Amino acid sequence: MNLLVAGGYFAAEVYLPLYLVSAKGMSPFAAGSVLTGAALAWAAAAALQGRVPDRGRARHRAALLGCGIVAVTLVGVAGCLAVSAPWPVVFVMWAAGGFGMGLAYPSASVLVLSLSTDREQGAGSGALKLAEAVGTTVTIALSGAVFAPFARAAAAEPASATGFAATMAVPVVSAVFAAVVATRLRPGGRSPTPTPPSRRRSRRPRMPG
C-alpha cells in the first residue's frame, strides 16, 4: 500500500510546482507556497489518527480513508490542470491530499508494527521505507516518460496544461490501486514472541518430607 500511495502522491508533487510556474506564470516561491497547505493538513491528520486505536477496524478504516482521499484528490488535481483552474482551487485540492496522506502513512506504519513480533519490527520498518522509495522512484520515472513527448512538442514554449493533466494519469492510477489494496486490509493481532528456552524457569520437583 505504501509503495502505491507514496508513488502517486510524490510523483504528482513533482509536477505540480512546474505547472504553476510554467502554465500559471507564478514565481517559484509562490508555487511552493501553494503546497504548504498540504503540509499543514498532513500534520493535522497525523495528530488526528493518533487517537485511533492501534488495532481493530478503526485503524484499517483510517488507512482506507486516507488512500481514498489521496486518490480522489489526484483525480481532482488532474481535472484542475486540464481546465487550467486558478491556483486557490489547486491549493484546496492539494491540501486535501495532504490530509489523506496524514491518515494513510502513519496508519500503515502502525499496522505493520502491530502485526509484527518484536524481532520482526525492524525488518517491517525497513520494508516500509524501501517500498516508499521504490514506489516514488518508479512512479516519477513513468510520469516523466509520459510528460517528455509533450515537453518536446512544445519546444521552447512551456508545456501545455493538457500535457500536465496527461502526466497526472500515472499518479492517479497508482493512488487508485493503493485504495484498492487498502480494502484488502483485515484486522489482526500480533503473534506472541516465543520465550527462549534459556529464559524459562525450570521447576524442581519437591522432595517428599
Side-chain angles (χ1 to χ4, degrees):
M1 186 186 81
N2 264 29
L3 183 148
L4 295 169
V5 72
Y9 183 84
F10 291 120
E13 192 175 45
V14 168
Y15 289 94
L16 193 55
L18 179 61
Y19 163 79
L20 294 173
V21 171
S22 61
K24 290 297 184 181
M26 299 177 67
S27 66
F29 176 81
S33 299
V34 174
L35 305 182
T36 57
L40 297 176
W42 187 324
L48 180 63
Q49 66 81 37
R51 301 177 179 270
V52 178
D54 292 349
R55 300 183 182 88
R57 295 186 181 275
R59 174 59 61 181
H60 293 77
R61 288 171 183 168
L64 175 59
L65 178 61
C67 290
I69 292 175
V70 173
V72 172
T73 295
L74 293 185
V75 172
V77 170
C80 290
L81 271 55
V83 301
S84 190
W87 71 263
V89 179
V90 178
F91 176 88
V92 173
M93 293 297 300
W94 197 244
F99 188 86
M101 288 295 288
L103 290 177
Y105 237 50
S107 294
S109 299
V110 170
L111 286 171
V112 169
L113 294 177
S114 65
L115 296 174
S116 304
T117 64
D118 293 340
R119 294 182 178 180
E120 296 170 341
Q121 288 183 356
S125 299
L128 278 175
K129 293 301 179 183
L130 179 61
E132 295 167 13
V134 171
T136 302
T137 302
V138 171
T139 311
I140 291 177
L142 293 176
S143 301
V146 174
F147 184 75
F150 293 96
R152 287 196 298 267
E157 299 179 1
S160 64
T162 304
F164 285 102
T167 303
M168 289 294 295
V170 177
V172 166
V173 170
S174 181
V176 169
F177 272 108
V180 172
V181 171
T183 62
R184 304 292 297 173
L185 295 174
R186 294 292 182 270
R190 180 190 298 183
S191 56
T193 304
T195 304
S198 58
R199 295 184 181 179
R200 295 175 184 169
R201 297 179 61 182
S202 58
R203 295 182 179 179
R204 297 181 179 180
R206 294 182 179 180
M207 300 298 293

PDB file of all heavy atoms in Angstrom, residues 55 113-124 190-194 199:
ATOM      1  N   ARG A  55      -5.062  -1.294  17.040  1.00  0.00           N
ATOM      2  CA  ARG A  55      -5.624  -2.496  16.434  1.00  0.00           C
ATOM      3  C   ARG A  55      -7.130  -2.332  16.266  1.00  0.00           C
ATOM      4  O   ARG A  55      -7.751  -1.493  16.901  1.00  0.00           O
ATOM      5  CB  ARG A  55      -5.332  -3.729  17.297  1.00  0.00           C
ATOM      6  CG  ARG A  55      -3.860  -4.010  17.500  1.00  0.00           C
ATOM      7  CD  ARG A  55      -3.662  -5.293  18.304  1.00  0.00           C
ATOM      8  NE  ARG A  55      -2.263  -5.573  18.553  1.00  0.00           N
ATOM      9  CZ  ARG A  55      -1.596  -5.105  19.591  1.00  0.00           C
ATOM     10  NH1 ARG A  55      -2.204  -4.366  20.478  1.00  0.00           N
ATOM     11  NH2 ARG A  55      -0.316  -5.383  19.755  1.00  0.00           N
ATOM     12  N   LEU A 113       3.702  -2.564  12.392  1.00  0.00           N
ATOM     13  CA  LEU A 113       4.333  -2.821  13.686  1.00  0.00           C
ATOM     14  C   LEU A 113       3.421  -3.619  14.619  1.00  0.00           C
ATOM     15  O   LEU A 113       3.898  -4.452  15.395  1.00  0.00           O
ATOM     16  CB  LEU A 113       4.718  -1.500  14.339  1.00  0.00           C
ATOM     17  CG  LEU A 113       5.806  -0.689  13.616  1.00  0.00           C
ATOM     18  CD1 LEU A 113       6.054   0.632  14.320  1.00  0.00           C
ATOM     19  CD2 LEU A 113       7.102  -1.481  13.501  1.00  0.00           C
ATOM     20  N   SER A 114       2.122  -3.375  14.555  1.00  0.00           N
ATOM     21  CA  SER A 114       1.210  -4.093  15.440  1.00  0.00           C
ATOM     22  C   SER A 114       1.049  -5.549  15.044  1.00  0.00           C
ATOM     23  O   SER A 114       0.688  -6.381  15.880  1.00  0.00           O
ATOM     24  CB  SER A 114      -0.162  -3.409  15.444  1.00  0.00           C
ATOM     25  OG  SER A 114      -0.770  -3.486  14.170  1.00  0.00           O
ATOM     26  N   LEU A 115       1.315  -5.861  13.779  1.00  0.00           N
ATOM     27  CA  LEU A 115       1.188  -7.238  13.307  1.00  0.00           C
ATOM     28  C   LEU A 115       2.531  -7.964  13.283  1.00  0.00           C
ATOM     29  O   LEU A 115       2.618  -9.076  12.782  1.00  0.00           O
ATOM     30  CB  LEU A 115       0.568  -7.258  11.906  1.00  0.00           C
ATOM     31  CG  LEU A 115      -0.869  -6.731  11.806  1.00  0.00           C
ATOM     32  CD1 LEU A 115      -1.319  -6.661  10.359  1.00  0.00           C
ATOM     33  CD2 LEU A 115      -1.814  -7.592  12.622  1.00  0.00           C
ATOM     34  N   SER A 116       3.581  -7.314  13.799  1.00  0.00           N
ATOM     35  CA  SER A 116       4.915  -7.905  13.810  1.00  0.00           C
ATOM     36  C   SER A 116       5.317  -8.267  15.230  1.00  0.00           C
ATOM     37  O   SER A 116       4.904  -7.611  16.192  1.00  0.00           O
ATOM     38  CB  SER A 116       5.945  -6.925  13.225  1.00  0.00           C
ATOM     39  OG  SER A 116       5.586  -6.513  11.925  1.00  0.00           O
ATOM     40  N   THR A 117       6.120  -9.290  15.326  1.00  0.00           N
ATOM     41  CA  THR A 117       6.708  -9.599  16.619  1.00  0.00           C
ATOM     42  C   THR A 117       7.827  -8.604  16.902  1.00  0.00           C
ATOM     43  O   THR A 117       8.225  -7.818  16.036  1.00  0.00           O
ATOM     44  CB  THR A 117       7.273 -11.023  16.626  1.00  0.00           C
ATOM     45  OG1 THR A 117       8.341 -11.111  15.667  1.00  0.00           O
ATOM     46  CG2 THR A 117       6.198 -12.040  16.261  1.00  0.00           C
ATOM     47  N   ASP A 118       8.341  -8.631  18.110  1.00  0.00           N
ATOM     48  CA  ASP A 118       9.419  -7.707  18.469  1.00  0.00           C
ATOM     49  C   ASP A 118      10.624  -7.892  17.552  1.00  0.00           C
ATOM     50  O   ASP A 118      11.307  -6.933  17.208  1.00  0.00           O
ATOM     51  CB  ASP A 118       9.833  -7.915  19.923  1.00  0.00           C
ATOM     52  CG  ASP A 118       8.722  -7.521  20.892  1.00  0.00           C
ATOM     53  OD1 ASP A 118       7.830  -6.755  20.478  1.00  0.00           O
ATOM     54  OD2 ASP A 118       8.733  -7.988  22.048  1.00  0.00           O
ATOM     55  N   ARG A 119      10.898  -9.121  17.170  1.00  0.00           N
ATOM     56  CA  ARG A 119      12.058  -9.389  16.310  1.00  0.00           C
ATOM     57  C   ARG A 119      11.806  -8.980  14.862  1.00  0.00           C
ATOM     58  O   ARG A 119      12.752  -8.761  14.105  1.00  0.00           O
ATOM     59  CB  ARG A 119      12.401 -10.877  16.363  1.00  0.00           C
ATOM     60  CG  ARG A 119      12.882 -11.359  17.725  1.00  0.00           C
ATOM     61  CD  ARG A 119      13.235 -12.829  17.686  1.00  0.00           C
ATOM     62  NE  ARG A 119      13.741 -13.296  18.971  1.00  0.00           N
ATOM     63  CZ  ARG A 119      14.126 -14.545  19.196  1.00  0.00           C
ATOM     64  NH1 ARG A 119      14.054 -15.455  18.229  1.00  0.00           N
ATOM     65  NH2 ARG A 119      14.577 -14.888  20.398  1.00  0.00           N
ATOM     66  N   GLU A 120      10.550  -8.868  14.457  1.00  0.00           N
ATOM     67  CA  GLU A 120      10.222  -8.557  13.066  1.00  0.00           C
ATOM     68  C   GLU A 120      10.004  -7.075  12.813  1.00  0.00           C
ATOM     69  O   GLU A 120       9.894  -6.663  11.652  1.00  0.00           O
ATOM     70  CB  GLU A 120       8.953  -9.317  12.657  1.00  0.00           C
ATOM     71  CG  GLU A 120       9.098 -10.828  12.658  1.00  0.00           C
ATOM     72  CD  GLU A 120       7.766 -11.527  12.475  1.00  0.00           C
ATOM     73  OE1 GLU A 120       6.709 -10.884  12.701  1.00  0.00           O
ATOM     74  OE2 GLU A 120       7.769 -12.714  12.113  1.00  0.00           O
ATOM     75  N   GLN A 121       9.955  -6.277  13.860  1.00  0.00           N
ATOM     76  CA  GLN A 121       9.615  -4.870  13.679  1.00  0.00           C
ATOM     77  C   GLN A 121      10.671  -4.109  12.884  1.00  0.00           C
ATOM     78  O   GLN A 121      10.344  -3.236  12.091  1.00  0.00           O
ATOM     79  CB  GLN A 121       9.393  -4.210  15.038  1.00  0.00           C
ATOM     80  CG  GLN A 121       8.101  -4.640  15.696  1.00  0.00           C
ATOM     81  CD  GLN A 121       7.844  -3.933  17.014  1.00  0.00           C
ATOM     82  OE1 GLN A 121       8.677  -3.154  17.481  1.00  0.00           O
ATOM     83  NE2 GLN A 121       6.703  -4.205  17.624  1.00  0.00           N
ATOM     84  N   GLY A 122      11.929  -4.417  13.093  1.00  0.00           N
ATOM     85  CA  GLY A 122      12.980  -3.749  12.328  1.00  0.00           C
ATOM     86  C   GLY A 122      12.875  -4.051  10.850  1.00  0.00           C
ATOM     87  O   GLY A 122      12.967  -3.157  10.005  1.00  0.00           O
ATOM     88  N   ALA A 123      12.658  -5.331  10.519  1.00  0.00           N
ATOM     89  CA  ALA A 123      12.512  -5.715   9.115  1.00  0.00           C
ATOM     90  C   ALA A 123      11.257  -5.095   8.513  1.00  0.00           C
ATOM     91  O   ALA A 123      11.256  -4.663   7.349  1.00  0.00           O
ATOM     92  CB  ALA A 123      12.464  -7.234   8.993  1.00  0.00           C
ATOM     93  N   GLY A 124      10.179  -5.029   9.304  1.00  0.00           N
ATOM     94  CA  GLY A 124       8.957  -4.419   8.792  1.00  0.00           C
ATOM     95  C   GLY A 124       9.112  -2.941   8.504  1.00  0.00           C
ATOM     96  O   GLY A 124       8.661  -2.448   7.462  1.00  0.00           O
ATOM     97  N   ARG A 190      -0.958  -9.130  17.002  1.00  0.00           N
ATOM     98  CA  ARG A 190       0.437  -9.512  16.985  1.00  0.00           C
ATOM     99  C   ARG A 190       0.597 -10.904  17.565  1.00  0.00           C
ATOM    100  O   ARG A 190       0.019 -11.231  18.592  1.00  0.00           O
ATOM    101  CB  ARG A 190       1.261  -8.522  17.812  1.00  0.00           C
ATOM    102  CG  ARG A 190       2.737  -8.845  17.842  1.00  0.00           C
ATOM    103  CD  ARG A 190       3.460  -7.988  18.857  1.00  0.00           C
ATOM    104  NE  ARG A 190       3.363  -6.576  18.512  1.00  0.00           N
ATOM    105  CZ  ARG A 190       3.963  -5.628  19.230  1.00  0.00           C
ATOM    106  NH1 ARG A 190       4.658  -5.939  20.297  1.00  0.00           N
ATOM    107  NH2 ARG A 190       3.848  -4.367  18.873  1.00  0.00           N
ATOM    108  N   SER A 191       1.368 -11.706  16.880  1.00  0.00           N
ATOM    109  CA  SER A 191       1.631 -13.040  17.399  1.00  0.00           C
ATOM    110  C   SER A 191       2.629 -12.953  18.535  1.00  0.00           C
ATOM    111  O   SER A 191       3.582 -12.168  18.488  1.00  0.00           O
ATOM    112  CB  SER A 191       2.214 -13.928  16.281  1.00  0.00           C
ATOM    113  OG  SER A 191       3.369 -13.337  15.745  1.00  0.00           O
ATOM    114  N   PRO A 192       2.408 -13.686  19.590  1.00  0.00           N
ATOM    115  CA  PRO A 192       3.292 -13.565  20.748  1.00  0.00           C
ATOM    116  C   PRO A 192       4.701 -14.029  20.424  1.00  0.00           C
ATOM    117  O   PRO A 192       4.902 -14.961  19.647  1.00  0.00           O
ATOM    118  CB  PRO A 192       2.635 -14.476  21.785  1.00  0.00           C
ATOM    119  CG  PRO A 192       1.832 -15.453  20.982  1.00  0.00           C
ATOM    120  CD  PRO A 192       1.369 -14.718  19.774  1.00  0.00           C
ATOM    121  N   THR A 193       5.670 -13.340  21.013  1.00  0.00           N
ATOM    122  CA  THR A 193       7.061 -13.722  20.819  1.00  0.00           C
ATOM    123  C   THR A 193       7.393 -14.907  21.711  1.00  0.00           C
ATOM    124  O   THR A 193       7.193 -14.846  22.925  1.00  0.00           O
ATOM    125  CB  THR A 193       7.985 -12.547  21.175  1.00  0.00           C
ATOM    126  OG1 THR A 193       7.609 -11.418  20.398  1.00  0.00           O
ATOM    127  CG2 THR A 193       9.437 -12.903  20.909  1.00  0.00           C
ATOM    128  N   PRO A 194       7.866 -16.014  21.135  1.00  0.00           N
ATOM    129  CA  PRO A 194       8.162 -17.174  21.974  1.00  0.00           C
ATOM    130  C   PRO A 194       9.300 -16.896  22.939  1.00  0.00           C
ATOM    131  O   PRO A 194      10.262 -16.198  22.620  1.00  0.00           O
ATOM    132  CB  PRO A 194       8.564 -18.247  20.949  1.00  0.00           C
ATOM    133  CG  PRO A 194       9.008 -17.491  19.742  1.00  0.00           C
ATOM    134  CD  PRO A 194       8.194 -16.242  19.714  1.00  0.00           C
ATOM    135  N   ARG A 199      15.447 -18.874  29.005  1.00  0.00           N
ATOM    136  CA  ARG A 199      14.823 -17.954  29.939  1.00  0.00           C
ATOM    137  C   ARG A 199      13.661 -18.579  30.695  1.00  0.00           C
ATOM    138  O   ARG A 199      13.069 -17.939  31.547  1.00  0.00           O
ATOM    139  CB  ARG A 199      14.334 -16.713  29.194  1.00  0.00           C
ATOM    140  CG  ARG A 199      15.467 -15.897  28.589  1.00  0.00           C
ATOM    141  CD  ARG A 199      14.919 -14.640  27.965  1.00  0.00           C
ATOM    142  NE  ARG A 199      15.987 -13.853  27.356  1.00  0.00           N
ATOM    143  CZ  ARG A 199      15.784 -12.702  26.722  1.00  0.00           C
ATOM    144  NH1 ARG A 199      14.555 -12.206  26.625  1.00  0.00           N
ATOM    145  NH2 ARG A 199      16.793 -12.056  26.192  1.00  0.00           N
TER     146      ARG A 199
END
